[in-house]
Amino acid sequence: MKMSRNKKGLMLLFVLFVAVGVQAQRVTSMRINEVLVTNEDNFVDDYGKRSGWIELFNSSAATVNIGGCFLTNDPQNPKKYPIPKGDVLTKIPPGQHILFWADGMASKGTFHLNFELDPTKDNYIALYDADGRTLVDEKIIPAGQRPDISFGRTIDGKKEWATLTKVTPSTNNLTLDTNEKIENFKNNDSFGIGMTVTAMAVVFLGLILLYVVFKYVGKTAVNMSMRRARQAGAEHISSKGEMEEGAVFAAIATALYEVTEDAHDVENTVITIQKVARRYSPWSSKIYGLRDQLKR
């Protein structure tokens, strides 16, 4: 009994340890991603005011809750701005960003810091875990940052930092403004000859393919029809032969009727021959050898 209780206690401690470890691992995946020190003509906050801002990025594949963590611009004071707990917006989905306004007015809400950024000197920025001792990420922003031009990672969450002329708060630092394929066409085929030839080739290949398909489909359909006709056409063919034979007889009968129509006397179905009475022999008649005499 004691062994089972000990096992349960060990299992509970193990689960708590794993949960704490996973949570700590998730928080450590947060990165300071982009910083704008001087905001003169850039984005405004929820009060319509312009001020510097700090962007954080969740580089993990899980949602991270940064409530209870700390942001600071003072390496001697890690707990300078405690991020409030209980705000649903502090739960950052994987691959997403969150923006904090460095306006020195923490009373405005969760995402308004109690410190500002100074363009005349280096600005130290750090994110600490909820214990106030574990450093999650830190970065020194060089002095002399130009207005409305941010300083951030060239690719979200990666190591390389650079001046970003295209300011992208709460979105990816690297964005594509052009289509690589279209640019390649412009550089390698400025007159569109290659594209035209390719399009025509695709069309002709499609037509050839359709021709082959329809040809063989039609041939197959004809063969199937003939096969069905042969299977079910023996009786049909024999009856057709009988009909043709009957048609021959009917034609013969019609011909006989037409030839002998003038020889009928009373019955129209009986052929009769009447005797022709002549007083002279047609074989010795001289009328066939006489010529008409001209009258004077």
Side-chain angles (χ1 to χ4, degrees):
M1 192 70 175
K2 291 182 179 179
M3 290 295 293
S4 61
R5 288 180 179 177
N6 291 334
K7 289 182 179 179
K8 289 181 180 179
L10 290 174
M11 288 295 294
L12 181 60
L13 289 175
F14 177 76
V15 170
L16 290 174
F17 175 77
V18 170
V20 172
V22 170
Q23 180 64 23
Q25 185 178 4
R26 288 181 180 178
V27 171
T28 56
S29 66
M30 294 299 302
R31 296 290 179 266
I32 299 171
N33 200 56
E34 185 178 1
V35 178
L36 180 67
V37 177
T38 304
N39 185 352
E40 291 183 355
D41 193 23
N42 201 259
F43 293 85
V44 299
D45 61 14
D46 44 349
Y47 291 91
K49 303 295 184 180
R50 288 186 174 88
S51 57
W53 44 260
I54 300 169
E55 180 189 76
L56 303 182
F57 174 71
N58 180 7
S59 63
S60 72
T63 299
V64 175
N65 188 356
I66 60 173
C69 297
F70 299 92
L71 274 169
T72 183
N73 66 339
D74 184 359
Q76 305 301 323
N77 184 10
K79 298 181 180 181
K80 187 169 185 177
Y81 177 74
I83 301 174
K85 297 181 180 179
D87 192 329
V88 294
L89 296 179
T90 60
K91 295 180 180 179
I92 307 172
Q96 297 300 312
H97 311 75
I98 194 71
L99 204 68
F100 288 87
W101 298 94
D103 55 5
M105 299 181 181
S107 60
K108 286 186 174 181
T110 301
F111 301 101
H112 291 264
L113 303 174
N114 57 3
F115 59 85
E116 298 180 79
L117 303 177
D118 188 351
T120 62
K121 63 180 182 180
D122 293 346
N123 287 274
Y124 173 82
I125 301 172
L127 174 67
Y128 281 84
D129 203 348
D131 58 8
R133 296 186 300 273
T134 304
L135 178 64
V136 177
D137 194 20
E138 64 179 351
K139 184 64 180 177
I140 297 177
I141 310 301
Q145 294 295 315
R146 289 178 291 170
D148 301 319
I149 295 179
S150 63
F151 190 74
R153 300 176 189 268
T154 54
I155 300 177
D156 294 327
K158 302 301 181 180
K159 293 182 178 180
E160 295 79 11
W161 284 72
T163 299
L164 306 178
T165 55
K166 184 176 181 180
V167 181
T168 57
S170 299
T171 188
N172 296 336
N173 291 355
L174 178 62
T175 56
L176 299 178
D177 298 326
T178 58
N179 189 309
E180 184 178 355
K181 294 182 179 180
I182 294 177
E183 292 298 324
N184 288 336
F185 267 113
K186 287 182 179 180
N187 296 331
N188 302 322
D189 187 23
S190 58
F191 294 101
I193 297 175
M195 183 181 294
T196 303
V197 172
T198 302
M200 293 180 66
V202 171
V203 172
F204 281 114
L205 287 175
L207 291 175
I208 293 171
L209 180 62
L210 287 175
Y211 167 77
V212 172
V213 170
F214 281 117
K215 179 180 178 181
Y216 284 98
V217 168
K219 187 176 181 180
T220 303
V222 171
N223 292 335
M224 292 177 65
S225 299
M226 293 180 65
R227 190 179 299 111
R228 293 195 189 99
R230 285 194 296 269
Q231 292 175 354
E235 297 179 359
H236 175 72
I237 293 173
S238 62
S239 62
K240 184 177 180 181
E242 294 175 359
M243 291 177 63
E244 291 178 351
E245 185 177 357
V248 171
F249 287 124
I252 294 173
T254 302
L256 288 174
Y257 176 79
E258 293 292 336
V259 170
T260 60
E261 184 178 3
D262 294 336
H264 295 164
D265 48 4
V266 179
E267 304 88 351
N268 60 358
T269 58
V270 178
I271 299 176
T272 58
I273 302 175
Q274 295 180 354
K275 182 179 179 180
V276 178
R278 295 181 179 180
R279 297 177 182 179
Y280 58 88
S281 174
W283 302 105
S284 62
S285 178
K286 295 180 180 180
I287 62 174
Y288 296 105
L290 296 178
R291 294 179 179 178
D292 295 336
Q293 297 296 323
L294 296 176
K295 296 181 182 181
R296 296 180 181 180

